Amino acid sequence: GQQVMQIPQYQHVQEGEDFTTYCNSSTTLSNIQWYKQRPGGHPVFLIQLVKSGEVKKQKRLTFQFGEAKKNSSLHITATQTTDVGTYFCAGRSSNTGKLIFGQGTTLQVKP
Amino acid sequence: GAGVSQSPSNKVTEKGKDVELRCDPISGHTALYWYRQRLGQGLEFLIYFQGNSAPDKSGLPSDRFSAERTGESVSTLTIQRTQQEDSAVYLCASSDRGGRSNQPQHFGDGTRLSIL
């Protein structure tokens, strides 16, 4: 069945360093969504990418959707302690329409 | 209400007991989802409702798990004869439309279930 893999599982960075998490699907996606879950909280929708090669920015966060619509990345520039949490990608299968969540990347930021 | 509401927020019960978890989605949202999240793990899909019907039950881990939705609103997830491996946070999410729509999912705060 369709799988969405996310790497790395964990990342520890010093405040001010950059951070990137990668999401790869075994099948072509119609779109991909990104969510952030703060410690002890629930996932909160960040953004959705639909077009091949699409790049979207939210302040220090840059989201990319691959040309083949099978992978995506989230890059955070100059991390801050408020960026701490787990970032999930969720890919929607072009075939089934089902939204599949990745396992998440947990970011720790040392002040 | 403004967001997805889940109750109880915490539930501690003995192994073998039945539990019922409740989800009130955002008003007007036709799609409703249940997920399970074990400690430090990702989101495990359980079931999806479109209106009152459940076109995708593929994630329910065993026949001890069941869910229903009435009035295109409230949903309950029932776990019978609970086992220790059922301990997890159970998250509910709703969206404006389900199926192949691009609508984001809005999550509740979850029910933290602990089986002794």
Side-chain angles (χ1 to χ4, degrees):
Chain A
Q2 181 197 2
Q3 286 189 321
V4 174
M5 308 298 292
Q6 241 184 297
I7 55 170
Q9 188 174 1
Y10 299 98
Q11 184 88 56
H12 295 248
V13 300
Q14 197 71 41
E15 188 174 21
E17 291 181 338
D18 292 356
F19 159 77
T20 305
T21 172
Y22 300 91
C23 185
N24 293 288
S25 169
S26 56
T27 59
T28 303
L29 304 171
S30 58
N31 62 65
I32 194 155
Q33 297 176 354
W34 285 91
Y35 293 77
K36 177 183 178 181
Q37 184 176 26
R38 293 182 186 274
H42 58 266
V44 174
F45 174 78
L46 293 177
I47 207 162
Q48 177 170 265
L49 304 171
V50 179
K51 299 176 185 176
S52 169
E54 188 170 13
V55 178
K56 285 188 176 180
K57 292 192 175 187
Q58 287 180 349
K59 297 183 180 177
R60 293 177 295 102
L61 277 61
T62 302
F63 303 84
Q64 289 189 309
F65 200 9
E67 294 290 340
K69 300 184 77 172
K70 294 179 77 171
N71 57 71
S72 180
S73 65
L74 158 60
H75 180 81
I76 303 178
T77 304
T79 54
Q80 299 176 359
T81 54
T82 52
D83 296 326
V84 164
T86 300
Y87 293 85
F88 292 98
C89 64
R92 190 175 301 281
S93 169
S94 296
N95 294 332
T96 66
K98 194 169 179 176
L99 192 68
I100 305 294
F101 280 81
Q103 287 300 100
T105 296
T106 298
L107 173 64
Q108 297 276 16
V109 179
K110 289 177 277 189
Chain B
V4 177
S5 177
Q6 290 188 247
S7 60
S9 54
N10 283 283
K11 177 74 176 178
V12 181
T13 193
E14 292 179 347
K15 176 182 171 182
K17 300 284 189 184
D18 296 354
V19 294
E20 196 171 273
L21 313 180
R22 177 186 168 108
C23 173
D24 277 281
I26 292 173
S27 178
H29 279 191
T30 59
L32 187 147
Y33 309 81
W34 282 99
Y35 295 89
R36 180 168 69 181
Q37 186 173 32
R38 292 198 167 104
L39 186 64
Q41 302 297 309
L43 302 178
E44 180 185 358
F45 169 79
L46 297 179
I47 189 169
Y48 154 58
F49 286 93
Q50 182 59 45
N52 290 340
S53 65
D56 190 350
K57 305 179 183 179
S58 62
L60 294 178
S62 76
D63 58 8
R64 296 187 296 104
F65 287 72
S66 63
E68 64 176 20
R69 188 180 185 195
T70 56
E72 295 198 349
S73 181
V74 173
S75 175
T76 54
L77 175 68
T78 302
I79 309 173
Q80 296 177 307
R81 304 181 303 281
T82 51
Q83 303 292 315
Q84 287 186 331
E85 63 262 26
D86 299 334
S87 296
V89 175
Y90 289 82
L91 289 162
C92 174
S94 70
S95 67
D96 191 13
R97 294 186 293 277
R100 293 174 179 266
S101 78
N102 293 339
Q103 296 301 308
Q105 295 186 11
H106 300 266
F107 285 82
D109 287 333
T111 293
R112 184 175 300 278
L113 178 63
S114 301
I115 309 299
L116 302 178

